[in-house]
Amino acid sequence: MRVLTPARYDLKPNTMKEKARHMRLDAVLPEYPEFEQGIRRAPDRGHTLTPEKTVLALQNALRYVPEELHDQLAPEFLEELRTRGRIYAYRFRPQGDLKAKPIDEYKGNCIEGKAFQVMIDNNLCFDIALYPYELVTYGETGQVCQNWMQYRLIKQYLEVLTREQTLVIESGHPLGLFKSKPEAPRVIITNALMVGLYDNQKDWHTAMQMGVANYGQMTAGGWMYIGPQGIVHGTFNTLLNAGRLKLGIPQDGDLRGRLFVSSGLGGMSGAQPKAAEMAGAAAIIAEVDASRIETRHTQGWVGHVTDSLEEAFSLARQAMDECRPVSVAYHGNVVDLLEYAVQKQLHIDLLSDQTSCHAIYEGGYCPAGLTFEQRTHMLHENPSKFRCLVDASLERHFKAIKRLVEHGAYFFDYGNSFMKAVYDAGVSEIARDGDDKNGFIFPSYVEDIMGPELFDYGYGPFRWVCLSGKHEDLVKTDRAAMECIDPTRRGQDLDNYNWIRDAEKNNLVVGTQARILYQDAVGRMNIALRFNEMVRKGEVGPIMLGRDHHDVSGTDSPFRETSNIKDGSNVMADMAVQCFAGNCARGMSLVALHNGGGVGIGKAINGGFGMVCDGSERVDEILRSAMLWDVMGGVARRSWARNPHAMETSEEFNRTHADGYHITMPYVADEKLVQKVVKE
């Protein structure tokens, strides 16, 4: 039996201390890297700073490098700011692809410092990142950090980080190392936590240009993104449950013979055709960016590609008639696709959208009538006209959806802020009583499906990464996780059992060896403890645990994660902050808190974690406490909002965990009684 021991210092103590005292970029100017052909590049984000703030933005960037380099770098940074809308400091990007290496190939004084380097590089490799050269992992604007100087400095810090230190990251900037304890987090991250008065798109855009804010998305800025596999599981569960709730699909059935239509084949949205096929559906997904289609087709995540609307629906119809799954990427605008379906009176069963509408005017949505190339050009040359075209396209988009719903389609917002974007474009009809504070006439997928059927029970996107980089470790963990699931308990458990059983044959891995598996609180804890035991016994190498922040308790977001919380607290951010703070207190290896997530600045606060399983008893103790807290805090909040399934789950938890836990349960008032009192 091989017992994993803590990593030994690579440096002698004096050398280590000396290096830690000089955590700065040196005065040697790196050679300017070559940009590889065919790698997607972020559009110009727009330079809107005043001359005074432009000066400040340059000063902010230059503080990362010695003064003797300022003469050369200042013009470079100014050019980036004026032409890209950001200072990325391209000169400091390492040459080539940043593929994650096995953990043992990284320098470090503790296993956590090495593990985080694996995660950062995985988030920025060509296979994973949406815009690798601009540090954007997914979601159009979700970045690991702001610039390549920060990347280099973070890597330096992680190489010297010890088990008695905590590295603090604020909006991509490594604030520094602070002495702590082995039981404390090794890294604490915050991103774009704007003060309330300034928590809006305009002020955030200014802050991004000035280099003081970073949009972490949900898992990009927390270094926990594992590729589109993460959203495959969520989409898979959503589609199956939508079929059961809205189409009369039996619990043990699938979506064969049914049509799912959506748009987006980028980072997160790239999962849609794969998930639809796994659920048995015929799927047509519109995408304007040919490079994204090519990526997903090459990866095997979409089966067919066409720029013909007639062919797209013909392929789907044939598969439906034969009761077999199929996925089709339509190279074109989703508005044209939906208007074609209206015109031809084609029935659609399930309808959604997964474009990056949280960044609607920054390139996340391409208006009808523009090619992708024209969109990119107009973003730079005429952003005000682009904004007008987006608004007009959203109105057409809404009208087409409305017609299709009238003819029997079930439309759900996939949490990408689509309905809010439509409302902001001037279409007040999409909001209940014309006010977005009252919600919208179409449901969020969380409001109707994910919330009551998964989150309220505690099911959410549990993830792990085999840090060894060995595929055989992933196979072993898949098998171990499957053994921890009772498929007869609930339909959700059967779905999750089937998911992990078939994960290998469905070839879900993009980037490093990682997996996602929706689980409830006890399920996550049991699997985590099993993994740590496997590491302890030498059966597998070290494992990084984490989750999407899109989860039971990690995120407060009235248009998505908390849209099925109806007591008025859906606009409060207490839950996400408490989740973050509790994970810090319990010693998760990495803890992160972000503003914005998948719905946009000012619309959500989301918190996440990463936990390194090194096989130690210390990690066992943290897992027993932290895994339950991370989930049940959210179930408790949902129970207090009087969500029936959350109340059931909380009552059961109070019975089974009476030795140290207790969730406050609500009394439920009779609605008719209250209405009568109010009327009187």
Side-chain angles (χ1 to χ4, degrees):
M1 180 178 79
R2 177 172 65 88
V3 178
L4 191 77
T5 57
R8 295 186 180 276
Y9 292 146
D10 296 327
L11 302 168
K12 294 180 179 179
N14 289 339
T15 307
M16 185 183 69
K17 290 178 182 178
E18 187 67 23
K19 187 173 180 181
R21 278 198 292 268
H22 295 89
M23 298 305 294
R24 294 183 175 184
L25 301 181
D26 58 37
V28 179
L29 201 63
E31 287 192 25
Y32 207 87
E34 295 181 10
F35 295 92
E36 295 191 23
Q37 294 295 317
I39 303 299
R40 283 186 299 273
R41 302 293 305 281
D44 174 17
R45 305 300 190 184
H47 175 232
T48 60
L49 297 179
T50 63
E52 293 77 16
K53 286 184 176 176
T54 299
V55 169
L56 189 54
L58 289 177
Q59 290 175 320
N60 289 346
L62 290 169
R63 60 188 163 182
Y64 285 100
V65 293
E67 289 86 346
E68 54 262 46
L69 302 180
H70 290 188
D71 280 348
Q72 184 168 348
L73 287 174
E76 283 187 20
F77 290 171
L78 180 60
E79 178 67 11
E80 290 179 13
L81 185 59
R82 285 175 171 169
T83 60
R84 315 295 302 188
R86 302 279 191 276
I87 296 174
Y88 297 112
Y90 291 119
R91 180 176 288 278
F92 292 87
R93 187 194 186 275
Q95 186 64 50
D97 194 359
L98 298 177
K99 282 189 185 297
K101 301 185 290 289
I103 187 171
D104 291 340
E105 294 184 24
Y106 289 91
K107 298 177 183 177
N109 295 318
C110 64
I111 191 172
E112 293 90 348
K114 294 179 179 182
F116 302 147
Q117 293 179 68
V118 175
M119 302 305 296
I120 290 172
D121 284 350
N122 189 62
N123 278 209
L124 292 172
C125 75
F126 290 160
D127 290 339
I128 291 283
L130 177 62
Y131 303 129
Y133 288 112
E134 287 76 37
L135 303 108
V136 176
T137 302
Y138 71 98
E140 194 61 35
T141 52
Q143 295 181 232
V144 169
C145 51
Q146 297 175 55
N147 59 61
W148 292 104
M149 297 178 294
Q150 290 180 345
Y151 167 87
R152 289 196 177 219
L153 200 50
I154 289 169
K155 295 274 284 198
Q156 287 184 28
Y157 273 118
L158 292 175
E159 288 178 1
V160 302
L161 178 71
T162 75
R163 302 182 96 174
E164 295 182 347
Q165 293 173 313
T166 296
L167 173 61
V168 178
I169 309 286
E170 294 183 354
S171 275
H173 169 65
L175 191 72
L177 293 173
F178 292 82
K179 193 171 179 60
S180 59
K181 298 179 180 179
E183 296 76 21
R186 297 281 71 79
V187 176
I188 298 176
I189 300 173
T190 54
N191 279 299
L193 298 180
M194 313 285 293
V195 173
L197 183 64
Y198 301 91
D199 197 7
N200 57 75
Q201 282 282 338
K202 183 175 181 293
D203 287 314
W204 166 77
H205 182 52
T206 296
M208 284 288 291
Q209 292 175 82
M210 292 174 66
V212 296
N214 184 61
Y215 197 82
Q217 249 289 348
M218 302 192 84
T219 54
W223 313 337
M224 200 59 216
Y225 186 63
I226 62 168
Q229 174 187 176
I231 199 64
V232 175
H233 199 351
T235 307
F236 170 77
N237 278 337
T238 299
L239 292 176
L240 283 177
N241 281 290
R244 291 162 185 161
L245 292 169
K246 304 298 179 179
L247 305 178
I249 305 297
Q251 189 66 47
D252 60 351
D254 60 21
L255 294 175
R256 294 174 195 272
R258 304 290 188 160
L259 177 60
F260 169 59
V261 173
S262 187
S263 58
L265 283 174
M268 299 292 279
S269 58
Q272 295 186 101
K274 186 80 168 180
E277 281 196 356
M278 291 173 66
I284 304 173
I285 313 297
E287 173 58 64
V288 292
D289 183 353
S291 72
R292 297 186 188 186
I293 293 175
E294 174 60 27
T295 297
R296 299 305 174 213
H297 190 236
T298 302
Q299 292 172 342
W301 287 58
V302 67
H304 302 270
V305 178
T306 181
D307 58 4
S308 165
L309 288 165
E310 183 180 359
E311 183 182 14
F313 280 98
S314 176
L315 287 167
R317 173 50 58 190
Q318 185 178 350
M320 291 162 69
D321 291 344
E322 298 170 1
C323 286
R324 60 177 174 84
V326 73
S327 60
V328 181
Y330 166 65
H331 182 212
N333 198 288
V334 65
V335 176
D336 296 326
L337 177 73
L338 300 184
E339 289 178 343
Y340 179 87
V342 171
Q343 180 189 353
K344 300 293 183 179
Q345 297 184 326
L346 302 172
H347 177 68
I348 296 171
D349 295 289
L350 301 175
L351 178 61
S352 191
D353 183 273
Q354 251 190 71
T355 53
S356 296
C357 290
H358 66 281
I360 194 80
Y361 303 116
E362 287 79 49
Y365 180 93
C366 180
L370 293 185
T371 65
F372 182 72
E373 292 72 24
Q374 289 169 333
R375 156 264 197 195
T376 303
H377 178 77
M378 188 174 286
L379 269 171
H380 176 69
E381 297 296 329
N382 197 342
S384 60
K385 184 178 179 182
F386 179 80
R387 188 182 185 100
C388 291
L389 291 177
V390 167
D391 289 349
S393 183
L394 285 170
E395 185 173 3
R396 285 174 57 187
H397 200 154
F398 166 73
K399 288 179 178 178
I401 290 170
K402 187 180 176 186
R403 290 286 303 276
L404 290 166
V405 169
E406 289 169 353
H407 288 88
Y410 172 65
F411 173 81
F412 56 94
D413 185 316
Y414 208 94
N416 61 337
S417 211
F418 171 76
M419 290 191 292
K420 181 66 167 84
V422 171
Y423 179 84
D424 291 342
V427 185
S428 58
E429 183 186 350
I430 199 169
R432 296 189 184 117
D433 302 321
D435 186 349
D436 66 332
K437 298 289 192 304
N438 298 326
F440 300 100
I441 62 173
F442 304 129
S444 155
Y445 77 118
V446 172
E447 189 174 9
D448 262 21
I449 303 165
M450 189 74 77
E453 298 302 314
L454 292 166
F455 289 173
D456 285 355
Y457 289 105
Y459 294 100
F462 180 57
R463 301 175 170 188
W464 66 92
V465 175
C466 296
L467 295 166
S468 67
K470 296 178 180 177
H471 183 68
E472 56 264 37
D473 281 9
L474 184 61
V475 173
K476 291 175 183 176
T477 56
D478 282 349
R479 193 176 301 123
M482 186 169 65
E483 292 170 357
C484 293
I485 300 172
D486 176 7
T488 65
R489 183 174 66 146
R490 294 193 187 106
Q492 294 92 329
D493 294 293
L494 177 61
D495 290 345
N496 295 329
Y497 182 88
N498 292 339
W499 163 272
I500 197 67
R501 180 197 65 196
D502 298 337
E504 177 72 10
K505 79 174 182 183
N506 284 317
N507 195 26
L508 296 166
V509 173
V510 180
T512 196
Q513 300 297 315
R515 187 70 76 220
I516 184 171
L517 172 62
Y518 270 60
Q519 282 293 286
D520 65 356
V522 173
R524 297 188 213 195
M525 184 185 70
N526 290 339
I527 292 171
L529 289 169
R530 177 73 177 276
F531 286 176
N532 199 45
E533 182 184 30
M534 293 169 73
V535 176
R536 186 159 50 244
K537 292 180 176 179
E539 297 172 11
V540 295
I543 293 171
M544 169 78 88
L545 304 177
R547 58 163 168 78
D548 195 332
H549 306 184
H550 162 251
D551 199 3
V552 180
S553 58
T555 300
D556 288 294
S557 177
F559 303 119
R560 190 158 81 172
E561 284 80 3
T562 48
S563 60
N564 74 315
I565 292 178
K566 305 290 189 177
D567 67 345
S569 69
N570 60 325
V571 301
M572 305 301 293
D574 297 287
M575 180 178 71
V577 176
Q578 288 280 3
C579 185
F580 165 83
N583 284 339
C584 282
R586 287 160 177 81
M588 292 288 204
S589 306
L590 178 151
V591 190
L593 189 69
H594 311 307
N595 179 10
V599 291
I601 281 293
K603 300 182 181 72
I605 297 293
N606 53 87
F609 76 87
M611 184 69 209
V612 179
C613 293
D614 63 4
S616 67
E617 295 291 340
R618 174 186 65 87
V619 167
D620 279 352
E621 289 304 307
I622 293 172
L623 292 174
R624 289 190 181 97
S625 171
M627 297 304 289
L628 291 179
W629 159 254
D630 189 68
V631 179
M632 292 308 299
V635 175
R637 184 302 188 61
R638 295 167 185 277
S639 172
W640 190 242
R642 301 181 294 278
N643 291 9
H645 294 323
M647 290 170 65
E648 295 164 16
T649 305
S650 296
E651 287 275 21
E652 177 66 18
F653 187 79
N654 282 346
R655 285 194 295 271
T656 58
H657 291 76
D659 57 340
Y661 295 90
H662 188 80
I663 292 169
T664 305
M665 300 300 298
Y667 293 104
V668 181
D670 183 279
E671 188 173 350
K672 290 181 179 178
L673 169 68
V674 176
Q675 287 178 343
K676 181 183 176 183
V677 170
V678 171
K679 285 179 181 178
E680 290 176 354

